[in-house]
Amino acid sequence: MNVIKYKLLPQYILHDDGTEKYMLFDTNTGDIYKLNAVSYNILSFCSGEYTSDEIKNEILKMFDVPLDILSKDFNDIITKFLNENIIS
Amino acid sequence: MDSYTDNKKNEFYIQWHFIDSCNLRCIHCYQNDYLFKEPDLNKLSLIFHKLDDALAKWKMGGFVSLTGGEPFLSPSSLFYVAELIENSPNFQNVAILSNGTLIDENIIKEIKRFKKITEIQISIDGPDAQIHESIRGKGTFLKTVETVRKLVSAGLKTSIMFTVHKKNMDYAEDMLYLAKELKVNSLTIERMTTMNEKEKNEFFINPYDLERVYKNLYEKSKVVFAESVTKLITSRPLWNLVDESAGGFCPVGLSSVCILHDGTVLPCRRLYLPLGNIIEEGLFKIWYGSKILWDIRNKKNPPDNSGVHPQSACSDINCSHFKRCGGCKAVSYYYHGNIHEKDPQCWLN
């Protein structure tokens, strides 16, 4: 069981404009990132309250994707966000 | 995740009320507090640097209107800000919005030192002393008109702002003749935003009177301003109803912002919905994080009880004027309590 909990750093703001355009804003630098729906939803759960397994379970409910593929994508996405200092 | 960059060199408009104090007490003013307070230069510098950083990041050219209060109540503060702007590659143009009662030859000489100060806008609310002074106070008309003459003869681009409401709408046509006589570059007609019931009763122009005033001004301006340097500015919402080539969608929430002297950020001076403080939070956090701004950008009403987002009346694609009008959000907000409701001065059914 994976109990690591991730948290979006406070300078970041997530935005969903309701037209399937997902954005991440860095309020320190003004950088803007375009996200896909999976990345956006993963970051939405990075509130410090959910474990990795809980986030994956939530994503599985939202997208029709096999667990093994999601697990790989999840790890890639989380690694990237950690490396970019977007989550901790 | 892709980094998003927009390399278009667009313009971003900032109306910066760098001073709160004013020497006049105009009856239609948005301000409540007039006590003279010398602006805090440290705060002005902090505000400037936050704006400068944002413009640099966005690769947008800043167009700033410096106003108050009355900006010439503290010329040293005004020129301090103008100097900061002059030396920044991120700001393109500066306009100064003034009541015109405190500008003398020395001030004009100082203004001319700044290449980026490209326009001086003077408020005149009636074509003669009686009308203007019933709104702006005794002894102001001749002083203001004299200032306009001096600015024009000094070769500065000068415009007149006429804020139209029920008390002066019948004199709007005469403003064309005054503007022509003064040889100003432009005359802008702006509707007053009535912010409460008392103001609404006293100043609000009903849509059919506004239609009459706008149509008359538009047609008469073609004759009065023929072979004149003066132009009628019709870039605001509702002018499009008079002529399809006129008017313009309000940039609020998209490419404009209003900053008060203490750093408070508003979507527009007429829409008093504080979004945050630029000194404490920076512009990025406010611009990207404000629910109010996202609501303004989102051309839909908040969800009703069934969760449906009804489309805004003034953003309705079924309205033939949708692309070049959009109504005034502030007028809608204070009239209906909702920025997405139809502009109450729109005369279309």
Side-chain angles (χ1 to χ4, degrees):
Chain A
M1 194 171 73
N2 195 335
V3 292
I4 300 172
K5 293 178 178 178
Y6 298 105
K7 193 169 182 180
L8 188 67
L9 293 184
Q11 74 264 32
Y12 289 99
I13 293 173
L14 274 169
H15 181 72
D16 165 15
D17 77 349
T19 61
E20 298 185 349
K21 282 183 191 161
Y22 304 101
M23 312 291 269
L24 176 70
F25 300 110
D26 183 336
T27 61
N28 285 351
T29 64
D31 286 336
I32 307 173
Y33 303 96
K34 283 193 279 188
L35 302 174
N36 61 30
V38 175
S39 299
Y40 171 83
N41 282 291
I42 288 173
L43 277 182
S44 299
F45 285 108
C46 290
S47 59
E49 296 167 43
Y50 299 93
T51 65
S52 296
D53 286 344
E54 285 169 336
I55 295 175
K56 278 188 267 186
N57 282 337
E58 292 299 323
I59 300 296
L60 280 171
K61 288 179 203 168
M62 301 163 82
F63 298 94
D64 185 16
V65 57
L67 177 61
D68 57 333
I69 292 177
L70 174 68
S71 293
K72 185 186 175 307
D73 286 352
F74 180 86
N75 289 337
D76 290 348
I77 289 167
I78 288 292
T79 302
K80 187 170 174 57
F81 287 149
L82 283 169
N83 289 340
E84 302 258 354
N85 287 320
I86 290 169
I87 56 173
S88 61
Chain B
M1 181 180 73
D2 299 318
S3 182
Y4 179 83
T5 51
D6 184 353
N7 290 320
K8 282 182 288 183
K9 195 84 180 170
N10 293 327
E11 190 176 86
F12 191 87
Y13 176 71
I14 301 141
Q15 185 153 317
W16 187 356
H17 296 255
F18 73 93
I19 181 170
D20 203 28
S21 319
C22 190
N23 58 324
L24 302 187
R25 303 288 181 267
C26 306
I27 59 171
H28 63 274
C29 186
Y30 309 108
Q31 234 170 278
N32 295 319
D33 180 14
Y34 297 95
L35 294 175
F36 182 74
K37 295 179 286 285
E38 193 65 49
D40 180 335
L41 297 189
N42 287 331
K43 275 189 183 176
L44 297 182
S45 171
L46 287 169
I47 293 169
F48 165 79
H49 286 293
K50 298 284 186 186
L51 290 170
D52 200 40
D53 290 348
L55 292 171
K57 182 70 191 181
W58 291 334
K59 296 186 172 67
M60 293 179 101
F63 175 26
V64 192
S65 288
L66 294 176
T67 186
E70 168 50 41
F72 291 102
L73 209 50
S74 178
S76 59
S77 308
L78 171 65
F79 293 125
Y80 171 76
V81 174
E83 195 81 52
L84 293 172
I85 291 171
E86 187 81 5
N87 294 319
S88 163
N90 303 310
F91 286 84
Q92 291 175 334
N93 295 304
V94 180
I96 303 174
L97 320 184
S98 164
N99 62 37
T101 57
L102 300 171
I103 303 174
D104 60 20
E105 282 80 1
N106 289 333
I107 295 271
I108 290 174
K109 207 170 149 189
E110 187 69 2
I111 291 170
K112 291 191 82 172
R113 223 169 43 80
F114 295 89
K115 289 195 180 97
K116 288 186 182 173
I117 299 180
T118 52
E119 183 175 347
I120 312 294
Q121 180 189 284
I122 303 294
S123 293
I124 301 185
D125 288 330
D128 57 36
Q130 191 189 342
I131 307 305
H132 177 83
E133 292 182 5
S134 69
I135 295 161
R136 294 193 159 256
K138 280 208 174 306
T140 55
F141 184 73
L142 282 178
K143 218 182 268 183
T144 305
V145 164
E146 195 49 37
T147 294
V148 172
R149 289 190 205 282
K150 285 178 191 164
L151 291 167
V152 170
S153 68
L156 287 162
K157 186 178 173 190
T158 308
S159 62
I160 292 176
M161 166 63 77
F162 176 66
T163 303
V164 66
H165 47 70
K166 200 154 69 180
K167 289 179 189 293
N168 64 4
M169 67 178 181
D170 293 335
Y171 308 94
E173 185 184 329
D174 296 333
M175 290 302 296
L176 297 171
Y177 297 97
L178 178 66
K180 184 187 176 187
E181 186 211 320
L182 292 174
K183 298 186 176 66
V184 292
N185 295 83
S186 57
L187 169 66
T188 302
I189 315 285
E190 192 80 52
R191 293 178 277 160
M192 175 185 172
T193 304
T194 53
M195 297 170 90
N196 53 50
E197 279 303 308
K198 185 176 172 289
E199 284 185 355
K200 202 160 87 181
N201 292 334
E202 220 174 325
F203 298 104
F204 187 80
I205 304 175
N206 73 55
Y208 306 104
D209 279 335
L210 189 70
E211 177 185 19
R212 176 176 54 78
V213 171
Y214 270 24
K215 285 185 172 172
N216 182 50
L217 276 169
Y218 195 74
E219 288 309 314
K220 291 276 165 55
S221 71
K222 291 179 193 168
V223 179
V224 177
F225 291 160
E227 296 173 31
S228 153
V229 293
T230 312
K231 302 271 178 270
L232 181 69
I233 301 295
T234 58
S235 57
R236 298 279 299 147
L238 296 192
W239 281 104
N240 187 245
L241 277 55
V242 178
D243 182 330
E244 285 186 0
S245 64
F249 208 91
C250 177
V252 162
L254 303 171
S255 59
S256 77
V257 79
C258 169
I259 316 278
L260 301 186
H261 70 287
D262 62 356
T264 300
V265 180
L266 305 176
C268 160
R269 185 62 186 89
R270 296 176 180 82
L271 190 55
Y272 197 86
L273 297 172
L275 308 172
N277 188 294
I278 192 170
I279 297 170
E280 292 156 17
E281 301 164 74
L283 191 55
F284 296 132
K285 187 176 177 188
I286 293 167
W287 192 252
Y288 297 131
S290 163
K291 285 184 179 172
I292 293 168
L293 287 181
W294 284 114
D295 186 33
I296 290 170
R297 291 167 193 145
N298 184 2
K299 297 181 178 65
K300 291 175 179 174
N301 272 319
D304 59 21
N305 291 337
S306 63
V308 173
H309 293 260
Q311 195 154 40
S312 158
C314 274
S315 302
D316 188 343
I317 52 169
N318 295 317
C319 174
S320 58
H321 298 273
F322 161 63
K323 284 188 178 170
R324 287 182 66 101
C325 184
C328 173
K329 304 280 183 287
V331 175
S332 290
Y333 178 76
Y334 288 107
Y335 195 90
H336 299 293
N338 182 350
I339 56 166
H340 293 294
E341 287 284 334
K342 184 184 173 188
D343 187 321
Q345 289 176 304
C346 171
W347 53 85
L348 296 182
N349 290 320

